[in-house]
Amino acid sequence: MAVFVLGLVISFATLSWMPEGQFNYSPWQILCSGLAMVILAVVRVLRLRDIYPNFLLVWWAAVAGYSLGWSVVSGLKDGNGLWAAGLMFLVMGLTVGLGAVAGLAAGLRAWLSAS
């Protein structure tokens, strides 16, 4: 639950405002948002007692929380409905990217606890 809420907060904190106009994020916003999500996923996976299958819960909670935050902000600001297509691409990218991060962190955790 904490990962879901933190993903939601990261999304709102980094992408809920646009300095240069509608739907025109600055590169540092995207960098900060992505870095915060990677840090969140790695820290939470490394702190798990039982890695498998709990790292999957961290992964999906992060994807769901961030996606919900992004879709609320974009859905309210978009008048033509294209935010739904953006949401599909966002979910696909987060699933692959955070899945890789969570999987690598789980592998690192398993390797560290085995040695």
Side-chain angles (χ1 to χ4, degrees):
M1 187 66 164
V3 174
F4 177 84
V5 171
L6 288 172
L8 188 72
V9 168
I10 289 169
S11 176
F12 278 128
T14 57
L15 301 178
S16 64
W17 52 278
M18 290 146 222
E20 300 168 15
Q22 187 175 11
F23 301 112
N24 192 11
Y25 300 119
S26 64
W28 69 267
Q29 280 179 289
I30 303 298
L31 178 68
C32 289
S33 187
L35 185 61
M37 288 302 291
V38 166
I39 291 169
L40 171 66
V42 168
V43 167
R44 294 306 293 180
V45 168
L46 290 178
R47 295 186 71 199
L48 289 172
R49 273 190 208 142
D50 299 322
I51 302 167
Y52 303 105
N54 290 334
F55 86 95
L56 296 173
L57 299 174
V58 171
W59 172 23
W60 284 104
V63 170
Y66 191 89
S67 298
L68 178 64
W70 185 89
S71 65
V72 167
V73 170
S74 297
L76 292 175
K77 292 184 179 182
D78 185 16
N80 56 16
L82 288 177
W83 68 272
L87 178 62
M88 290 186 334
F89 288 115
L90 178 74
V91 169
M92 286 189 291
L94 284 173
T95 300
V96 171
L98 286 179
V101 168
L104 288 171
L108 176 65
R109 170 74 195 282
W111 180 71
L112 290 173
S113 62
S115 51

